[in-house]
Amino acid sequence: MATRLQFENNCEVGVFSKLTNAYCLVAIGGSENFYSAFESELADVIPIVKTSIGGTRIIGRLCAGNKNGLLVPHTTTDQELQHLRNSLPDRVVVQRIDERLSALGNCIACNDHVALAHTDLDKETEEIIADVLGVEVFRQTIAGNILVGSYCALSNRGGMVHPHTSVEDLDELSTLLQVPLVAGTVNRGSEVIAAGMTVNDWTSFCGSDTTATELSVIDSIFKLREAQPSSIVDEMRKSLIDTYV
Amino acid sequence: MSVMDESGMFKVQQTIGSVLCCKCGVPMPPNAANMCVNCLRSEVDITEGLQKSIQIFYCPECTCYLQPPKTWIKAQWESKELLTFCIKRLKNLNKVKLKNAEFVWTEPHSKRIKVKLTVQAEVLNGAVLEQSYPVEYTVRDNLCESCSRFQANPDQWVASVQLRQHVSHRRTFFYLEQLILRHDAASRAIRIQQVDQGIDFFFGNKSHANSFVEFLRKVVPIEYRQDQQLVSHDVKSSLYNYKYTYSVKICPVCREDLVCLPSKVASGLGNLGPLVVCTKVSDNITLLDPRTLRCAFLDARQYWRSGFRSALTSRQLVKYFVFDVESPVGEATVGGQKYALSYVQIARESDIGKMFYVQTHLGHILKPGDQALGYDIYGANVNDNEMEKYRLSVKNGLPEAILIKKCYEEQRERKQKKPRNWKLKSLPMEMDDSRGRVDPEKTDKEYEEFLRDLEENPELRFNISLYKDKDYQASETASMTDGEGAPTVPIEELLADLDLSEEEEDDDDEENMAE
């Protein structure tokens, strides 16, 4: 079920948090509201880690990870790296990489099996991604934008991309990623999907500006409402463009 | 699906998918705001801050609208000019782009004008939104300055031209009337009044009067002066309101007059024999010496320097019978007119017994048995100083008679008053009966003579428009081959009178063939 929240009155939730199937990272805010919202949903299931990266709070856009590992940019300090290594489960490999494009969250969109990468990423980085995260890496663009990490939110069950993506592109990406994709918006028509929301296999968090329509689209594409009677889901499906492989 | 572009690369055809509007959930093609048009309209109002109602002033007399501070723009109801004017009056319209404007129908006497404007503006993140909205104009009646001035005093004129010619006939004014009609020179006159020895023209504007005087200067030799009278005076802004009067004098020497030139003028013109005949008056006066067939031209300035008057005018023309015409001793062509100098034997109609043997310049048209009109110097008592001086100075005495033109009286009587197939238009003049009696019979006779003059002289007709008389029917009984008939106007020179009524369709017979 999708939840609406705000980080210090800002609706760009995906900027200040990173959610995967094994852990969750949140930024350090003035009040504890942001953290407690995550806690109420995820408390007993996965660890929620408060951190900063390179002294900044925009951790969601700087790091990329899935249940297998976490990649952080070269700007991460040693203390932060150590803190992460300590707090996260041992299975998760935390790796700091030296990459010119240091906003890894904007450059890499990944789930547990497959990842989309910025076209200008180093060959080395690509290899590290494949290694650490255990995924297959594809260099792609979304609707002509090279920042795939910003314009695509991905989970193991579905994905949402930039609203201007053409039908052919959607087909192609869906084939690559092997999940159903939809072109949609978040936060009242914002096109930067991954900055406006964060998602894993059973829950998602969106900015509080997200309209009911957008929320229902998110719920259906990421399959967040298993308990719903199937007729409503079917009805929704008719009005959406899904691409099944 | 794939398309080869110019570089030879395969380009996949891109079909735009559809997303749901983030507000209402209706599927729509994605746009910059990712909201459907209705949701966007409900979110953002681009007409916010634009004027929706405004007041304009209208003058019902001259159908003009006020553009402050002072200009009045003439525009018809629901016309293009009115639309432009209405849009100009709106402030703030430069913030948005105007796409379309049109009138919405309102009842004319509701005093409201409704205009529907379609504007485009950029909203949110680059989406361009187009919206229509109505603007209501409240029309308030307000007489414009000139109309209110006119209402207060309808006879108000600002400039007047007083045209005078100090002669005893009105021939010049008949001719001038036709000229003015032809050139439309008095179209802007508020009022035209006929007075003794002249005509008064009243104008609303000094420049109109000025242009009228300029027109007169080109067609007759005039002398004028301009005076002004203070009507009102605004002390604070130092604005003075005047009434201007142009006093215009036409030179009193007319066609067919006999003039005895003062010695100075005669010597100035190269010793032109002091007795001359005036043959043509336009902006110059053409003087012909009947004894030497020499012509001289005097323009207005030269004339008014000496200001001589005619010795004998056409009133004093006397009928002569021509008995014998000798062969011409000299011929000349002056100003397009042919003249031949020859000796003739003539006698006055009133006194056939007394024969005169005189020289005349009409040798080319006179034949024995003709009648001619001329000045009887032998018998006349001429009241002219110059003439007296000349009579005393010259050795052989003055010529006994000077013939001016051939007379067609007989032929006219034979025709028995056949109606003319042409007619003239006239100016709307008021008659001034305040001073002296106006003899209607005299004016009619003069007009008839003027019409005969037009028939006889093609060069007079040159500048005048003659119209076909629709009521004229060619009578079968009168024989067209009169032998030598009186001269008439050839039909090619007549214009079809342009009748703006709907029944007639006049074909434009605009072949005014001037010789």
Side-chain angles (χ1 to χ4, degrees):
Chain A
M1 211 44 230
T3 321
R4 283 194 267 216
L5 67 159
Q6 277 185 325
F7 178 80
E8 288 184 356
N9 213 24
N10 186 315
C11 299
E12 305 293 325
V13 182
V15 174
F16 300 103
S17 64
K18 186 103 209 150
L19 181 62
T20 66
N21 288 330
Y23 55 88
C24 176
L25 304 175
V26 296
I28 303 170
S31 72
E32 287 292 312
N33 291 340
F34 196 59
Y35 179 73
S36 27
F38 277 90
E39 230 188 344
S40 58
E41 277 286 319
L42 307 168
D44 300 324
V45 189
I46 53 177
I48 307 168
V49 184
K50 278 203 273 191
T51 180
S52 64
I53 293 186
T56 67
R57 300 193 291 179
I58 51 168
I59 57 173
R61 301 292 91 217
L62 289 180
C63 65
N66 59 11
K67 71 171 183 345
N68 300 323
L70 177 68
L71 297 171
V72 292
H74 60 89
T75 52
T76 321
T77 61
D78 292 332
Q79 284 105 306
E80 289 161 354
L81 194 56
Q82 197 54 44
H83 171 65
L84 280 170
R85 285 220 174 98
N86 292 341
S87 327
L88 293 179
D90 295 327
R91 284 187 339 100
V92 179
V93 180
V94 182
Q95 175 83 353
R96 181 163 57 181
I97 57 178
D98 229 337
E99 161 65 58
R100 186 179 60 97
L101 304 168
S102 56
L104 298 175
N106 284 337
C107 298
I108 305 165
C110 62
N111 62 11
D112 292 336
H113 310 291
V114 72
L116 292 176
H118 190 292
T119 49
D120 296 338
L121 230 47
D122 291 346
K123 200 80 182 75
E124 243 181 68
T125 313
E126 195 183 325
E127 283 168 17
I128 296 176
I129 297 171
D131 204 22
V132 171
L133 300 181
V135 293
E136 216 182 319
V137 184
F138 299 104
R139 287 172 192 254
Q140 267 290 340
T141 63
I142 295 182
N145 284 307
I146 45 178
L147 291 178
V148 287
S150 320
Y151 292 106
C152 167
L154 209 47
S155 84
N156 291 323
R157 306 175 71 175
M160 181 184 272
V161 290
H162 189 288
H164 289 181
T165 315
S166 68
V167 175
E168 290 81 12
D169 270 0
L170 222 46
D171 281 345
E172 192 186 331
L173 286 168
S174 186
T175 322
L176 280 180
L177 302 174
Q178 299 283 312
V179 292
L181 295 177
V182 77
T185 65
V186 79
N187 278 341
R188 220 163 216 286
S190 164
E191 297 158 341
V192 196
I193 315 290
M197 61 175 281
T198 177
V199 64
N200 72 4
D201 283 349
W202 66 88
T203 183
S204 89
F205 296 91
C206 311
S208 58
D209 274 353
T210 312
T211 61
T213 317
E214 290 167 336
L215 219 50
S216 67
V217 172
I218 289 169
D219 277 347
S220 64
I221 194 64
F222 291 109
K223 301 198 183 49
L224 299 174
R225 34 174 145 186
E226 312 93 324
Q228 289 292 341
S230 53
S231 58
I232 297 184
V233 181
D234 282 342
E235 233 178 80
M236 284 264 68
R237 227 170 249 154
K238 279 195 210 109
S239 61
L240 296 173
I241 291 201
D242 281 3
T243 317
Y244 291 99
V245 177
Chain B
M1 279 288 273
S2 331
V3 167
M4 295 276 274
D5 74 350
E6 311 87 57
S7 58
M9 281 178 28
F10 276 113
K11 267 201 138 197
V12 184
Q13 190 180 20
Q14 312 279 36
T15 340
I16 312 288
S18 76
V19 291
L20 300 187
C21 161
C22 65
K23 270 189 82 172
C24 58
V26 56
M28 50 155 240
N31 62 30
N34 290 315
M35 282 198 256
C36 66
V37 186
N38 296 328
C39 293
L40 200 52
R41 278 224 185 106
S42 63
E43 283 280 303
V44 186
D45 182 16
I46 54 177
T47 65
E48 197 181 2
L50 298 177
Q51 256 182 325
K52 304 264 174 53
S53 76
I54 196 173
Q55 208 176 64
I56 56 176
F57 292 97
Y58 168 70
C59 173
E61 292 290 316
C62 53
T63 69
C64 292
Y65 292 87
L66 175 65
Q67 178 125 336
K70 268 209 192 146
T71 347
W72 288 85
I73 298 184
K74 198 169 174 68
Q76 293 295 327
W77 180 254
E78 287 202 0
S79 64
K80 231 179 355 159
E81 294 91 24
L82 188 56
L83 194 57
T84 331
F85 168 75
C86 288
I87 295 176
K88 260 199 243 182
R89 294 288 292 126
L90 290 175
K91 299 180 262 200
N92 305 340
L93 212 53
N94 47 1
K95 292 209 193 108
V96 295
K97 202 161 68 152
L98 184 63
K99 269 275 136 165
N100 189 26
E102 57 187 11
F103 280 111
V104 176
W105 186 83
T106 49
E107 194 79 37
H109 59 75
S110 67
K111 297 282 173 208
R112 300 279 184 278
I113 298 177
K114 280 217 179 82
V115 178
K116 190 159 79 133
L117 295 175
T118 312
V119 290
Q120 261 184 4
E122 200 184 281
V123 294
L124 291 186
N125 21 339
V128 177
L129 193 62
E130 192 176 280
Q131 196 176 340
S132 300
Y133 69 103
V135 182
E136 188 173 315
Y137 295 85
T138 311
V139 178
R140 278 189 56 182
D141 281 343
N142 188 343
L143 274 184
C144 66
E145 259 185 61
S146 44
C147 286
S148 52
R149 220 182 290 143
F150 182 72
Q151 285 280 10
N153 181 6
D155 286 335
Q156 182 80 298
W157 50 268
V158 176
S160 84
V161 177
Q162 292 172 335
L163 192 60
R164 302 282 182 272
Q165 190 186 33
H166 298 297
V167 285
S168 54
H169 58 83
R170 289 193 74 93
R171 256 189 352 187
T172 322
F173 292 111
F174 291 139
Y175 179 63
L176 256 182
E177 185 186 346
Q178 295 306 318
L179 267 183
I180 290 171
L181 277 170
R182 163 79 167 224
H183 290 100
D184 242 353
S187 54
R188 290 182 292 193
I190 301 176
R191 208 155 64 98
I192 305 175
Q193 191 174 41
Q194 193 180 39
V195 293
D196 176 43
Q197 286 201 339
I199 309 180
D200 283 348
F201 295 85
F202 297 96
F203 296 91
N205 201 322
K206 184 175 178 235
S207 55
H208 296 165
N210 216 345
S211 59
F212 184 68
V213 171
E214 286 303 307
F215 164 75
L216 285 176
R217 208 144 63 87
K218 281 198 256 263
V219 296
V220 280
I222 58 170
E223 190 189 46
Y224 72 95
R225 55 174 283 161
Q226 185 210 335
D227 298 291
Q228 55 201 37
Q229 178 189 16
L230 186 65
V231 172
S232 65
H233 163 215
D234 182 355
V235 184
K236 295 248 178 74
S237 60
S238 260
L239 282 178
Y240 297 84
N241 251 341
Y242 289 105
K243 267 191 182 187
Y244 303 93
T245 307
Y246 290 83
S247 188
V248 180
K249 269 198 301 210
I250 306 183
C251 125
V253 175
C254 303
R255 270 182 70 242
E256 298 167 1
D257 279 359
L258 185 70
V259 182
C260 190
L261 295 171
S263 50
K264 262 217 183 136
V265 180
S267 49
L269 291 174
N271 263 331
L272 207 57
L275 279 179
V276 287
V277 175
C278 175
T279 48
K280 185 167 156 187
V281 175
S282 63
D283 55 339
N284 302 352
I285 308 169
T286 312
L287 300 168
L288 171 73
D289 183 350
R291 279 210 284 207
T292 58
L293 290 187
R294 259 203 320 149
C295 246
F297 299 93
L298 278 179
D299 72 357
R301 254 178 322 143
Q302 282 173 299
Y303 170 77
W304 289 108
R305 246 182 262 152
S306 48
F308 53 85
R309 293 194 64 102
S310 340
L312 288 170
T313 65
S314 46
R315 278 272 160 80
Q316 282 108 6
L317 280 174
V318 167
K319 247 194 265 190
Y320 286 87
F321 279 118
V322 178
F323 290 112
D324 191 22
V325 181
E326 292 181 17
S327 52
V329 298
E331 277 182 7
T333 309
V334 180
Q337 267 283 66
K338 210 170 71 120
Y339 296 112
L341 196 59
S342 52
Y343 282 92
V344 290
Q345 267 208 324
I346 53 176
R348 285 170 295 188
E349 191 190 13
S350 50
D351 187 13
I352 303 247
K354 181 89 169 104
M355 299 267 254
F356 297 106
Y357 187 64
V358 290
Q359 214 183 27
T360 176
H361 61 282
L362 299 173
H364 58 298
I365 50 171
L366 285 179
K367 286 187 276 305
D370 273 348
Q371 283 183 322
L373 288 168
Y375 291 112
D376 179 20
I377 303 177
Y378 172 79
N381 191 0
V382 183
N383 181 14
D384 189 40
N385 288 341
E386 299 297 329
M387 196 87 149
E388 286 306 307
K389 271 195 259 174
Y390 181 54
R391 194 198 292 264
L392 294 172
S393 68
V394 80
K395 287 187 298 212
N396 312 342
L398 301 170
E400 287 120 355
I402 297 192
L403 295 178
I404 299 294
K405 58 182 181 180
K406 185 163 154 177
C407 178
Y408 297 99
E409 204 62 54
E410 261 185 46
Q411 286 94 337
R412 284 192 203 280
E413 272 169 35
R414 250 191 280 154
K415 267 203 313 191
Q416 272 181 350
K417 290 262 197 188
K418 202 165 69 162
R420 296 191 172 87
N421 61 345
W422 51 275
K423 61 177 168 58
L424 295 170
K425 288 198 177 150
S426 61
L427 276 177
M429 281 199 260
E430 295 170 11
M431 297 295 162
D432 180 29
D433 293 321
S434 55
R435 215 179 322 159
R437 327 152 260 115
V438 171
D439 196 357
E441 209 185 272
K442 197 172 84 154
T443 26
D444 281 345
K445 216 156 53 104
E446 278 186 351
Y447 196 62
E448 178 64 33
E449 276 178 17
F450 169 65
L451 292 179
R452 275 200 211 139
D453 235 356
L454 279 185
E455 278 184 340
E456 289 170 17
N457 291 299
E459 61 176 51
L460 255 192
R461 293 199 292 265
F462 181 64
N463 256 333
I464 298 183
S465 312
L466 299 165
Y467 296 95
K468 274 201 208 133
D469 193 356
K470 284 200 270 291
D471 304 324
Y472 167 77
Q473 289 116 15
S475 53
E476 313 279 317
T477 54
S479 63
M480 293 308 281
T481 52
D482 259 326
E484 196 193 295
T488 52
V489 180
I491 202 158
E492 300 91 47
E493 287 191 18
L494 301 179
L495 296 174
D497 196 355
L498 192 61
D499 194 358
L500 295 173
S501 65
E502 278 156 17
E503 315 96 57
E504 330 249 357
E505 274 160 27
D506 281 335
D507 41 330
D508 256 32
D509 207 80
E510 292 260 337
E511 272 183 44
N512 194 359
M513 286 177 4
E515 67 291 331

